[in-house]
Every structure is written in structure tokens, then in C-alpha cells.
Amino acid sequence: MFKTVLFPIDQSRETREAADVVTNIVKKYSSRLVLLSVVEEPPKDAPDAPSADPMVSPEVVAKLLESAQSLFSGQGITSEILERQGKPAFTICDVADEIGADLIIMGCRGLGLTEEGADDSVTTRVINLSPCPVLIVP
């Protein structure tokens, strides 16, 4: 049923909690698991200023992906990792389309509130733009 599962990750508590659901679904359906983390583009108004957001650091994102891959490996799950740059919601949906994902699993609120605020979170945008079903873990 779910041949390919996309799990976008950041450093939020919600992502860590969603990992258990990902493990259960991937094992149940013998799914291919793709871990994705998006390096966010720095704001255009301050491109040279250091950011407090760790998700703009390629090094932090690479470590996060390796750590997640290791976590799933410990559960007997092989995963692929992808690191992309861009706006998280659009990038998640583009990657889902690119890899032929059958399901995206993500936490209900990660680190990614958009400039417009909580009503327009990354999760909400992914739900509205996704080319496949999205499972939101509360």
C-alpha cells in the first residue's frame, strides 16, 4: 500500500515523536523510507547575518540526517537520505513528487512556522500542496 514513505525531519520534538509511527508503518508495509531535511534559504533582507535557526546550516542538517538514519538502522530499517535547499513546504512536496512517494509522514508542528504565522505552517502548506496522502502525527 505504501511503497515509498517520505519523512521530512527537523530538530523538533514533533519529528522525534513521529519517528515511532514511521517505524511502524515502514515495517508493516515493507516500505522504502526516504528521510528529507531542508536547508532553509536565509532571509533576503539579511543574507550575510548569521541565523539563529539551525535549519539554515548545511552541517547541522547533515548531522541530523545521519542521526535519523542511524536511529532507523537500529530498528532494522534501511533508509535513504536527501538534503535539499529551499522553502520547506514546497521542497517537501517537490521531493514527494520526484521520488513517487505514496505517503508523507510528519509531526503536527515542527520548527517551521512561516512568516505569515501559525495558521500557515509548513504542515498546513504540505497538506494543501502534497501530491500524495499526508499523515500528521499529533
Side-chain angles (χ1 to χ4, degrees):
M1 178 174 221
F2 301 118
K3 292 179 182 172
T4 302
V5 173
L6 177 62
F7 184 36
I9 61 172
D10 60 19
Q11 294 182 314
S12 69
R13 177 181 53 82
E14 290 80 4
T15 293
R16 289 189 297 276
E17 291 172 357
D20 290 336
V21 173
V22 171
T23 299
N24 290 334
I25 288 176
V26 168
K27 283 185 172 184
K28 178 174 179 134
Y29 295 101
S30 301
S31 306
R32 166 186 175 214
L33 175 60
V34 179
L35 306 173
L36 168 67
S37 199
V38 180
V39 178
E40 296 184 47
E41 297 170 339
K44 292 184 187 336
D45 56 349
D48 296 330
S51 174
D53 183 356
M55 295 308 289
V56 299
S57 165
E59 296 80 18
V60 169
V61 169
K63 276 187 173 180
L64 177 65
L65 283 166
E66 288 172 13
S67 175
Q69 189 175 40
S70 191
L71 173 88
F72 286 109
S73 181
Q75 298 287 326
I77 297 171
T78 301
S79 60
E80 302 166 40
I81 57 175
L82 292 174
E83 180 180 324
R84 297 288 168 87
Q85 185 170 4
K87 296 198 175 282
F90 298 110
T91 304
I92 290 166
C93 293
D94 287 347
V95 168
D97 191 44
E98 176 186 313
I99 67 170
D102 300 298
L103 179 66
I104 298 171
I105 302 175
M106 54 193 302
C108 63
R109 270 251 163 60
L111 299 175
L113 294 181
T114 64
E115 298 93 33
E116 290 80 22
D119 290 337
D120 201 18
S121 68
V122 170
T123 303
T124 301
R125 282 190 174 174
V126 169
I127 290 168
N128 290 321
L129 298 171
S130 178
C132 63
V134 181
L135 173 61
I136 305 302
V137 179

